[in-house]
Amino acid sequence: MTISIEIPQPDDWHVHLRDGDMLAAVVGYTARRFRYALVMPNLVPAITSTAAVATYRERIMAAVPVDAADFRPLFAIYCSRVIDLDDLRRGAADGSIAAVKYYPAGATTNSAAGGSSMFDFMSLFEVMADSEIRLLVHAESTDPAIDIFDREAHFLSEQLAPVCAALPELSVTVEHVSTSDGVDFVAAHPRCAATITPHHLARDRSHLLANGMRPDLYCKPVINSTTDRAALLAAATSGAKGYMLGTDSAPHPTTAKYGPVAKAGVFNAAYGLEVVAEAFYQAGRLDQLGQFASTNGVACWGVEPPSSTITLTRETIDRELATSLTTTKGDEVVLFGTEEAALWTIQTTPVTAATFGC
Ligand code: DOR
Ligand code: ZN
């Protein structure tokens, strides 16, 4: 049976677009699918100022394909001691800076410039609370004594909970929430929202480890247990407004994935939406897809609602799907979600603005 659903054009509230030839190779996947995309600042050197955002934005827009007519990147800067508070306030006021992203140093790809404790940044967070600038948090302990699968819960209770208690006006996004503890944390904190990735919704650690180690599923925070996945899916499909799609699409060349140490990151910009659609479909909650992928983020970020829709159809069509891309330098990146992509087709459907009452 063919099943179809029409949803407002979706947004991606967490994406890594990289730079140079990798940016050129990946940006079209995001720009053709999504309208807003919140671009992460973990380049080397990290993006920490309005000036760096402006030049990065130019490089991104120069690489966007012409048929991606309505792509609207937003930018987070990297939480670091070098942030100039006046520059941050100016950037937030003129819209060039959407948020500040906290990375625990050593937790993930390009996090060396991150913090060793959130408490070192309380004066910055106070300014952000006053100026209504959202804090995005990679919530993962780097304490080697903490088991890798418990690191989100540990970080949330030891670091983010006291910050939220001290600054109740600060708006926070728990990025790529990966555990039931993370879901509970968001539910208990009214000013906290969360992004959820396609891969955390659709895979668990047995997919990562049970039948040979799968470097293409390795990301930070790591994909966790079946119980955690069920909690994420329940949250994403619940209709609760605090949960939104953030793909955390993070391309790495196969040379960095298949060596003795795999870099963390899943490249899902190509098929992430199909992966989420299939997860919702399997949960019997396809009706909630628009809320999660389109509506909740727009409301959370206070941006203009879309005037177009996309239609996702579950049907098997005989076609050849790409399984990887190659950059101009010859680096190959594996596309996550080909299984789900084989089950879904996605069409862009322009509609009149009146459809959404805007
Ligand atoms: O898996 C990840 N990859 N998690 C992150 O937080 C960063 C990202 C990347 O930049 O590769
Ligand atoms: Zn990320």
Side-chain angles (χ1 to χ4, degrees):
M1 193 183 57
T2 301
I3 290 170
S4 260
I5 181 164
E6 186 178 1
I7 64 169
Q9 196 183 351
D11 302 300
D12 183 353
W13 295 106
H14 181 136
V15 65
H16 299 268
L17 293 180
R18 310 298 196 213
D19 216 340
D21 71 317
M22 189 60 86
L23 166 64
V26 302
V27 70
Y29 291 95
T30 297
R32 289 195 179 98
R33 271 267 161 103
F34 300 103
R35 204 169 50 112
Y36 288 99
L38 186 47
V39 180
M40 292 298 120
N42 63 334
L43 304 184
V44 181
I47 303 284
T48 54
S49 66
T50 51
V53 166
T55 53
Y56 189 30
R57 165 181 257 285
E58 276 171 24
R59 298 196 297 279
I60 289 171
M61 293 317 282
V64 171
V66 281
D67 59 334
D70 193 21
F71 182 54
R72 306 173 182 197
L74 297 173
F75 293 85
I77 62 167
Y78 201 112
C79 183
S80 125
R81 288 182 197 286
V82 303
I83 288 179
D84 177 278
L85 294 181
D86 288 333
D87 185 58
L88 172 61
R89 282 194 199 92
R90 254 195 323 273
D94 71 17
S96 59
I97 295 175
V100 175
K101 171 81 183 277
Y102 180 82
Y103 286 97
T108 188
T109 305
N110 298 347
S111 62
S116 46
S117 164
M118 288 193 87
F119 309 131
D120 294 339
F121 294 92
M122 290 309 280
S123 51
L124 168 64
F125 299 155
E126 265 170 49
V127 169
M128 291 169 60
D130 286 348
S131 310
E132 297 182 12
I133 303 168
R134 182 169 281 270
L135 174 66
L136 316 178
V137 182
H138 182 114
E140 188 176 2
S141 170
T142 52
D143 182 345
I146 307 298
D147 186 271
I148 184 73
F149 294 112
D150 299 331
R151 287 186 183 185
E152 182 172 272
H154 189 263
F155 184 94
L156 290 172
S157 63
E158 300 304 309
Q159 297 257 322
L160 192 53
V163 170
C164 290
L167 295 170
E169 299 307 314
L170 182 65
S171 295
V172 173
T173 299
V174 178
E175 295 288 359
H176 35 58
V177 64
S178 65
T179 58
S180 63
D181 292 305
V183 170
D184 292 344
F185 183 92
V186 172
H189 291 81
R191 294 203 80 97
C192 272
T195 53
I196 310 183
T197 78
H199 41 288
H200 288 97
L201 277 178
R203 304 288 187 272
D204 59 55
R205 62 196 184 195
S206 297
H207 295 106
L208 174 68
L209 297 168
N211 297 303
M213 211 270 285
R214 301 276 306 278
D216 294 318
L217 286 181
Y218 176 63
C219 62
K220 296 299 286 303
V222 284
I223 291 173
N224 219 304
S225 71
T226 51
T227 314
D228 292 304
R229 178 162 91 94
L232 299 175
L233 196 53
T237 59
S238 66
K241 294 196 183 325
Y243 299 101
M244 66 205 74
L245 175 62
T247 64
D248 198 15
S249 184
H252 289 283
T254 49
T255 46
K257 285 299 247 179
Y258 302 159
V261 175
K263 284 243 171 117
V266 174
F267 179 65
N268 61 27
Y271 305 135
L273 214 48
E274 290 90 332
V275 171
V276 175
E278 182 62 12
F280 276 50
Y281 171 78
Q282 292 297 340
R285 300 310 301 268
L286 203 52
D287 59 313
Q288 290 296 322
L289 185 64
Q291 189 86 23
F292 175 67
S294 315
T295 316
N296 285 350
V298 164
C300 173
W301 286 93
V303 294
E304 190 194 339
S307 57
S308 60
T309 60
I310 63 165
T311 301
L312 300 97
T313 305
R314 195 172 192 275
E315 60 189 346
T316 315
I317 293 179
D318 198 17
R319 66 200 149 141
E320 207 152 302
L321 284 168
T323 56
S324 68
L325 63 78
T326 306
T327 71
T328 53
K329 277 196 196 152
D331 282 328
E332 192 186 358
V333 177
V334 171
L335 312 185
F336 170 74
T338 41
E339 283 166 46
E340 287 92 342
L343 300 171
W344 290 88
T345 51
I346 301 186
Q347 273 180 329
T348 306
T349 326
V351 293
T352 60
T355 307
F356 294 107
C358 51

